[in-house]
Amino acid sequence: SRIPGGGETQGCVRRSGCTRGATAAQKKTGTCSCCSRTRCSIYDRRVVRARDLGAGGFRIELEFERARVSCPDCGVRVEYLDWLARNPRYTARYALQVGALCRKMTVKDVAEAERLHHTTVKDLDKLYMAEQLRRHPMPATTAIGVDEIAIRKGHEYRVVVSDLVRQRPIWFGGSGRKQTDLEQFFAAYGARRCQGIQVAVMDMWKPFREATHTCAPQAEIVFDKFHILRHLNDALDAVRRFEYTRVQGEQRRFIKGNRYTLLSHRENLDLDGRKALKTLLAANQRLNTAYLLKESFGQLWDYEREGWARRFFENWKSSLRWQRLAPFEKFAAMIERHWDGIVSYCKPENKVSLGCVEGLNNTIRVIQRKAYGFRDEEYLAMKIIAHFLPALPNHAKITHTNPR
């Protein structure tokens, strides 16, 4: 028989013979959906519907008889059916399809395509990602990356911990970027797995260092190269702003509008950008000196011995004499204070991918922009971690409980 399916199409319902009055042997026992106890006596039955995969442009719903069982331990409970999703209005394979669509589309787009409410799509997507996380639990690793990411305006931060060996995030949480927030990860990670951490890549934020020293004292702290170079770019930009206020007349037009040309690497510029950079550096000697210092500092991470790295830094620092580059002198003092975490990358056992943490953060920001933000932090955490996991196979089961 047919029932209205909503929109322009209609759906089909396949009814069993017993619902039409035909005689059929009915089961007398069932499985409790709460404690998974088998052979519980049937309490009562009723006819329900569940949406299934569509076919031929039709929205298909299954009409079947579902029983409630009388469990000695839990009381009266709905029976367990392995082909139903946690939301009993949908089958498990339909929830699998909706979750697979949410990996490539926004919740709003999936809701419009499947003619569902957006909260229903989000709930089915959560079931899909929960199965992903069950199949890929938090792994034991030797190298982690720690960083914070803003979830909304007003300096609201959450901590993201990544597995640098598998290059995927493994934890997202906290209520800020304090020491106690990172300690929540180490508590969830377990003392045994914390002992296996050998390298921890992070920025120069002191609470993260203290939490790592407390919970994983054997881990070698390596400061992220890209966070350090960001401070160097800020110093170069400060010099550019000072030079713009110092010079007058025609010399200003060489500096104005060339901020990103000056801060970019030369190999990343097109032909017009290289011409503008050449003209700017020829017109201002102080900017030319600051640019050369910025470009040469990246060689620090190419050395494999601490002594060579130290000699390079001393020579680079001596180049600042009589140059009147106060922002660069401030940057050099910061490097001196955090030298141990920077030079530790020279050890062969600490050669990990320093760009992985920043790359993961960029992907997380894309996920946030794609959804125009998330109000449900639990959903955001699952979305971030599950995004880097492989998709579920077509035969995967997303059920409403996990029977023992």
Side-chain angles (χ1 to χ4, degrees):
S1 62
R2 295 180 180 274
I3 62 172
E8 300 177 355
T9 62
Q10 288 186 341
C12 281
V13 175
R14 177 72 65 183
R15 290 190 174 91
S16 60
C18 60
T19 59
R20 292 178 177 269
T23 59
Q26 294 182 341
K27 59 182 181 179
K28 298 181 179 180
T29 61
T31 303
C32 177
S33 60
C34 182
C35 65
S36 305
R37 185 188 182 100
T38 59
R39 302 183 64 83
C40 297
S41 61
I42 300 298
Y43 181 78
D44 61 3
R45 296 180 176 88
R46 67 169 181 165
V47 178
V48 296
R49 288 176 181 173
R51 182 169 175 179
D52 198 14
L53 297 177
F58 285 91
R59 169 180 169 177
I60 298 178
E61 293 187 357
L62 305 179
E63 186 175 274
F64 59 97
E65 193 177 65
R66 193 175 189 187
R68 289 194 298 173
V69 298
S70 180
C71 178
D73 299 329
C74 307
V76 178
R77 299 289 180 176
V78 179
E79 68 170 332
Y80 167 75
L81 296 176
D82 59 354
W83 52 273
L84 277 183
R86 184 181 181 87
N87 188 335
R89 296 177 181 270
Y90 306 93
T91 62
R93 60 184 181 181
Y94 182 72
L96 184 67
Q97 174 183 286
V98 173
L101 291 176
C102 289
R103 287 180 60 87
K104 301 178 181 179
M105 303 166 59
T106 63
V107 171
K108 181 180 178 181
D109 293 337
V110 176
E112 293 178 354
E114 296 294 326
R115 293 192 292 276
L116 295 171
H117 196 267
H118 66 90
T119 57
T120 303
V121 175
K122 187 182 76 170
D123 292 340
L124 296 179
D125 190 23
K126 279 186 175 182
L127 294 178
Y128 185 94
M129 293 186 294
E131 179 64 18
Q132 284 183 289
L133 298 178
R134 188 190 68 82
R135 291 172 175 241
H136 302 276
M138 193 182 300
T141 183
T142 58
I144 62 172
V146 182
D147 203 357
E148 74 279 353
I149 188 166
I151 60 172
R152 62 179 64 92
K153 294 182 179 179
H155 297 283
E156 287 284 338
Y157 296 99
R158 296 296 180 267
V159 180
V160 181
V161 181
S162 307
D163 180 2
L164 299 184
V165 177
R166 298 167 181 83
Q167 296 191 355
R168 66 179 180 90
I170 58 177
W171 190 81
F172 177 91
S175 58
R177 51 176 182 167
K178 303 182 291 294
Q179 179 179 348
T180 55
D181 297 316
L182 184 56
E183 288 176 350
Q184 293 179 20
F185 159 73
F186 289 114
Y189 203 54
R192 184 174 181 179
R193 285 185 290 188
C194 288
Q195 294 176 359
I197 300 176
Q198 300 177 4
V199 181
V201 179
M202 62 187 67
D203 55 14
M204 293 174 286
W205 189 242
K206 186 176 180 181
F208 289 169
R209 282 182 285 159
E210 293 179 349
T212 305
H213 285 312
T214 302
C215 302
Q218 80 289 342
E220 191 83 24
I221 293 180
V222 178
F223 292 140
D224 190 5
K225 170 184 176 181
F226 298 94
H227 283 87
I228 297 174
L229 293 182
R230 187 180 303 168
H231 287 281
L232 184 57
N233 279 337
D234 292 342
L236 178 59
D237 190 44
V239 174
R240 181 195 64 83
R241 293 195 301 269
F242 176 78
E243 287 299 300
Y244 183 79
T245 58
R246 186 181 66 87
V247 299
Q248 301 292 333
E250 285 293 320
Q251 292 186 351
R252 280 192 170 187
R253 67 182 181 89
F254 298 107
I255 303 176
K256 185 177 181 180
N258 288 322
R259 178 174 183 265
Y260 291 101
T261 301
L262 186 65
L263 298 181
S264 301
H265 290 291
R266 180 180 175 83
E267 57 270 15
N268 296 333
L269 297 175
D270 55 9
L271 183 60
D272 294 336
R274 293 185 180 184
K275 289 182 179 179
L277 178 64
K278 183 178 180 181
T279 304
L280 171 62
L281 298 183
N284 193 293
Q285 181 62 32
R286 187 171 295 176
L287 276 180
N288 183 37
T289 303
Y291 180 81
L292 294 177
L293 287 172
K294 190 266 291 187
E295 287 294 306
S296 63
F297 189 80
Q299 302 176 18
L300 179 65
W301 284 270
D302 296 335
Y303 292 100
E304 297 182 354
R305 293 189 179 181
E306 298 183 16
W308 297 347
R310 185 67 194 185
R311 183 178 302 176
F312 167 81
F313 177 66
E314 292 295 338
N315 293 335
W316 186 88
K317 191 168 59 172
S318 63
S319 302
L320 297 176
R321 295 177 180 175
W322 315 113
Q323 298 297 333
R324 292 179 294 177
L325 297 174
F328 277 73
E329 295 175 357
K330 183 179 178 181
F331 171 78
M334 183 193 70
I335 297 299
E336 283 283 5
R337 294 193 303 269
H338 301 88
W339 177 253
D340 292 338
I342 298 174
V343 77
S344 59
Y345 182 73
C346 297
K347 299 179 182 179
E349 61 272 15
N350 295 343
K351 295 290 185 179
V352 295
S353 177
L354 296 180
C356 177
V357 177
E358 199 65 24
L360 293 178
N361 284 350
N362 290 334
T363 305
I364 293 172
R365 294 187 187 98
V366 171
I367 295 174
Q368 289 179 298
R369 289 197 301 268
K370 183 179 178 182
Y372 291 93
F374 289 86
R375 295 183 181 179
D376 188 350
E377 286 194 24
E378 179 187 4
Y379 184 52
L380 173 61
M382 296 178 68
K383 202 73 175 176
I384 290 173
I385 299 176
H387 176 81
F388 297 88
L389 299 177
L392 293 178
N394 294 331
H395 57 80
K397 288 185 177 293
I398 304 178
T399 57
H400 66 288
T401 185
N402 293 318
R404 291 190 291 266

